Amino acid sequence: MHRISLKSHSGDSDKKQTEEGGDRYKPKRPSYFKGLENFIKGGKQIMIKKTLVFVVVVLIGFFVTTSSGLGKEQATLTYGNNQIVRTLDPIKTICVESMALVWNMYDPLVMIDPADPEKLKPVVAERWEVSENGKVWTFYLRKGIKFTTGNELTAKDVAFSLKRGIEANYPVYPPYGKFLDPDKGIKIIDDYTIQMTLKVPFIGWGKLLARSQAGIVDSKALKPHMTEEDPYGSNYLNDHSLGSGPFKLKEWIRDQKIILVRNEEYWGEKYGIRVPKIDQLVDLNVPEPTTQKMMLERGDIDVAMELSVDMAAQYEKNPVPHIKVVRVPVFIGTSILMNPSYPPFADPKVRKAIRYAIDYDSITNELLKGFAIRMDEPIYKGFVGWQEKVWYGYDLEKAKKLMAESNYPNGFSFTISIGTGLGVGVPWEILALKEKEDLAKIGIDMKIEQYDWSVMDEQLFSGNYQAQQNWVGCFFPDTEGAMSLFGRPATSVVLKPNGWKCQAVDELADIAMIESDPVVRAAIYHAINEIFAELGPNAFILQQVKPIVARSNIKGFENITPGLEVFNWWALYKK
């Protein structure tokens, strides 16, 4: 395991990384900010040198001014983000940014209605039917849809795309295979009709199909790139687009910029579906929030996706001409994930004590400036089963009592792994230092080690960590989507390697998954919430309210679907 101090560290020496911290974030310094001194190593302060920032700004300005091949600035929307995109293959996307780009290049059968997240809207499928038992879904496709290659989209492409994803079964691929047998469950009735027979009834199947990972790929164009060494053609799709969506890939300079251009043959124009209102979308990788802020105010970018909450709050408090803040509740949050294989975390009383020791209100209101929703259960606000009930609010005396009753009355130390970058509105190290201060009050010494996200992923999927401060998300916007990712002990991507076991949660989740009555389904999830509050391996911290800061002439944010992984860039435009 590689120990670092607030520096990006990657297991891949070929990837260029950027240091985090320093000048990029200067909020009012609370007491725990002093803890940053513990991360100073070898006399070198962990801040970006002003000269480096200047060079980055100059280079990015160069990329902006030279990248427009359309010669029509009003038709180009440029935005800054801080995520490193690794692939544009729909079934391999990991980070939210890559999912959002894929969403705008590939078409799904259906999409979530921005006006009502519980409803579906037709895209490639003009209509669909669901059998009375909830197992058979029949989709009727629009005729005449063309991929950017000129090939027609048919039911064969839909079947191919689903089968490809299920069989490849990459670690973060949503649980399509859990519900659908790719050989027995898919039936092509004709070129424009496809039937899916699920293994079990699942009311959320439509939502699962409304994901970027369910984007339909041009099977004819991809097959020549599928080899024995690369049976799914992922090496080709990593940096090529074979979709039928509003945009197509024009250029990708890794770790710098990605340019999508309008698909001039886009079929959706005819039906008013996902119609792009811009000709070119430029995604600039700008790691530093301060740099994004400067570029936004200069007009070099139209949208800043990764400003700190402190910056966004300042804009709200002291408005700046031509700048606006859009608050977007998203199905993303964070938790302290404790590994029961580390002896202290095998004790439920220790885990519960940690949950009571965190000052959540201080984190939400002071650290996050209100850009957060309190979260202490594995279900997001807006999902079936979410409860406004506070399961474990800040209670220092109760936390101390639980520690005294535990197997570690005199406390203990543990190491928490954190990633790099801005996190849920503040840098991960800032959040971790606040938690460290809180836990010290009950005799727990939390040591912080920071890693590049490739190392964090390796730890998470192998279970090789004592604790992680990590994202919590969802595979699709439904309670089962969250449970499948981090709430099912026996099968979820996060909890299976973690080692926490709870048969009751697994069984209850199975029952809730096939329940069609929302009231009954909610009651089942309420029981799961209670189990997590008493015995779970997480100290859930918050659900993020994403601040998106844009030039005031950028319109269309009302058509953005909650959840940044399906960000409707096609809906935005300049006025």
Side-chain angles (χ1 to χ4, degrees):
M1 185 166 66
H2 306 281
R3 181 185 298 269
I4 61 173
S5 297
L6 295 188
K7 289 184 179 180
S8 292
H9 180 85
S10 172
D12 184 349
S13 60
D14 293 330
K15 290 183 179 177
K16 184 180 179 182
Q17 300 296 336
T18 304
E19 289 185 332
E20 305 290 340
D23 287 341
R24 67 187 174 87
Y25 185 79
K26 289 187 177 181
K28 182 180 179 181
R29 296 187 174 188
S31 60
Y32 51 82
F33 195 90
K34 296 177 182 178
L36 280 173
E37 296 171 359
N38 298 328
F39 292 100
I40 298 175
K41 186 177 182 180
K44 293 182 179 180
Q45 293 206 16
I46 51 161
M47 60 176 62
I48 304 295
K49 298 293 187 293
K50 291 183 179 179
T51 53
L52 178 58
V53 172
F54 175 77
V55 170
V56 170
V57 171
V58 171
L59 286 175
I60 290 173
F62 172 78
F63 290 139
V64 172
T65 56
T66 62
S67 64
S68 176
L70 297 179
K72 196 166 60 172
E73 185 179 339
Q74 70 274 14
T76 297
L77 192 149
T78 303
Y79 68 97
N81 86 87
N82 70 354
Q83 297 186 26
I84 299 296
V85 175
R86 306 177 193 176
T87 178
L88 291 175
D89 182 348
I91 65 173
K92 288 184 69 177
T93 53
I94 296 177
C95 72
V96 167
E97 178 57 27
S98 60
M99 294 178 189
L101 291 170
V102 164
W103 177 251
N104 285 272
M105 292 189 291
Y106 293 83
D107 284 318
L109 287 171
V110 295
M111 64 175 284
I112 301 294
D113 186 343
D116 185 350
E118 288 300 310
K119 292 182 179 179
L120 298 175
K121 293 184 69 174
V123 185
V124 168
E126 61 182 358
R127 61 188 177 90
W128 58 93
E129 299 168 351
V130 184
S131 65
E132 288 187 10
N133 64 5
K135 292 179 65 175
V136 182
W137 293 63
T138 305
F139 294 90
Y140 301 90
L141 313 187
R142 300 180 195 275
K143 297 178 182 179
I145 295 178
K146 297 291 183 67
F147 290 106
T148 54
T149 60
N151 295 328
E152 185 179 13
L153 187 158
T154 69
K156 291 180 181 178
D157 297 296
V158 177
F160 170 86
S161 301
L162 274 172
K163 185 174 181 179
R164 175 176 177 264
I166 293 171
E167 290 183 349
N169 195 30
Y170 291 116
V172 294
Y173 185 68
Y176 296 96
K178 177 178 180 177
F179 303 104
L180 184 68
D181 185 310
D183 295 314
K184 300 178 181 178
I186 301 176
K187 182 180 180 181
I188 299 174
I189 296 176
D190 58 42
D191 282 352
Y192 307 105
T193 310
I194 186 168
Q195 192 172 83
M196 304 171 195
T197 301
L198 307 184
K199 298 175 184 177
V200 294
F202 178 42
I203 194 172
W205 179 247
K207 290 183 180 179
L208 190 50
L209 293 176
R211 305 295 294 166
S212 60
Q213 295 93 332
I216 302 166
V217 175
D218 184 342
S219 60
K220 289 181 181 178
L222 183 60
K223 284 178 180 178
H225 302 282
M226 297 168 66
T227 64
E228 186 175 345
E229 295 77 23
D230 183 22
Y232 303 107
S234 288
N235 290 336
Y236 182 79
L237 276 189
N238 278 343
D239 51 14
H240 292 80
S241 61
L242 290 176
S244 61
F247 295 96
K248 60 184 178 180
L249 180 65
K250 175 185 177 183
E251 183 181 7
W252 182 2
I253 300 177
R254 287 187 177 269
D255 300 350
Q256 293 181 10
K257 64 177 178 179
I258 297 173
I259 300 178
L260 306 187
V261 292
R262 185 189 187 106
N263 176 4
E264 295 296 342
E265 304 301 322
Y266 184 55
W267 62 273
E269 301 269 1
K270 178 180 178 181
Y271 302 98
I273 294 174
R274 304 205 326 152
V275 178
K277 297 178 175 61
I278 52 175
D279 291 332
Q280 181 168 259
L281 181 66
V282 181
D283 168 4
L284 293 180
N285 181 246
V286 188
E288 292 298 313
T290 50
T291 307
Q292 286 194 31
K293 182 174 183 289
M294 287 189 295
M295 293 177 70
L296 181 69
E297 292 183 356
R298 286 202 311 256
D300 293 335
I301 60 176
D302 300 299
V303 181
M305 295 295 289
E306 306 296 343
L307 295 197
S308 69
V309 294
D310 188 66
M311 295 173 183
Q314 283 299 315
Y315 278 127
E316 289 186 332
K317 184 178 180 181
N318 303 301
V320 173
H322 312 305
I323 302 293
K324 65 180 177 181
V325 178
V326 181
R327 289 176 173 249
V328 182
V330 293
F331 305 131
I332 296 173
T334 188
S335 79
I336 297 174
L337 177 61
M338 297 165 271
N339 194 329
S341 66
Y342 183 57
F345 294 144
D347 188 339
K349 289 188 176 181
V350 167
R351 301 197 300 265
K352 195 171 182 179
I354 287 176
R355 287 194 279 272
Y356 278 108
I358 303 296
D359 187 349
Y360 303 98
D361 287 342
S362 176
I363 291 173
T364 299
N365 299 323
E366 297 175 23
L367 204 61
L368 274 296
K369 311 297 183 186
F371 285 91
I373 299 169
R374 176 77 177 91
M375 180 179 185
D376 55 3
E377 58 195 44
I379 299 175
Y380 295 107
K381 184 176 183 179
F383 285 3
V384 173
W386 178 79
Q387 293 174 275
E388 199 164 0
K389 176 178 181 178
V390 176
W391 289 100
Y392 45 86
Y394 178 54
D395 191 329
L396 190 58
E397 293 307 312
K398 185 174 286 188
K400 289 179 178 179
K401 183 174 184 295
L402 285 164
M403 284 298 293
E405 296 170 353
S406 75
N407 296 325
Y408 297 86
N410 298 318
F412 63 93
S413 66
F414 74 95
T415 298
I416 189 167
S417 300
I418 65 172
T420 58
L422 188 60
V424 289
V426 294
W428 288 106
E429 60 269 23
I430 300 296
L431 175 59
L433 286 167
K434 173 65 178 79
E435 295 165 346
K436 176 182 175 69
E437 181 185 71
D438 289 345
L439 294 182
K441 296 174 183 177
I442 61 171
I444 296 177
D445 178 21
M446 187 177 89
K447 302 180 186 302
I448 304 169
E449 292 185 0
Q450 189 165 34
Y451 298 93
D452 175 76
W453 282 102
S454 62
V455 179
M456 289 287 287
D457 289 345
E458 290 171 9
Q459 288 186 6
L460 183 66
F461 298 144
S462 68
N464 184 26
Y465 59 89
Q466 293 179 6
Q468 273 203 351
Q469 181 86 52
N470 211 322
W471 301 99
V472 290
C474 62
F475 275 134
F476 54 99
D478 181 85
T479 311
E480 175 57 28
M483 295 297 293
S484 295
L485 183 61
F486 63 87
R488 285 175 169 269
T491 59
S492 74
V493 171
V494 171
L495 289 188
K496 186 176 180 180
N498 170 274
W500 181 65
K501 300 184 185 304
C502 185
Q503 186 177 350
V505 168
D506 288 318
E507 292 177 350
L508 287 169
D510 283 341
I511 296 170
M513 180 182 68
I514 64 175
E515 177 56 57
S516 60
D517 186 329
V519 175
V520 176
R521 195 170 182 230
I524 297 170
Y525 285 129
H526 293 169
I528 291 176
N529 290 341
E530 187 168 1
I531 293 173
F532 266 89
E534 289 295 321
L535 303 172
N538 305 80
F540 292 106
I541 306 298
L542 59 92
Q543 177 180 343
Q544 186 179 17
V545 175
K546 178 76 173 179
I548 298 177
V549 187
R551 304 284 294 184
S552 58
N553 66 325
I554 304 302
K555 308 296 182 181
F557 284 101
E558 67 275 9
N559 294 315
I560 298 301
T561 304
L564 298 178
E565 68 285 350
V566 289
F567 197 85
N568 300 334
W569 283 111
W570 47 265
L572 301 188
Y573 61 97
K574 292 182 176 181
K575 185 175 181 180

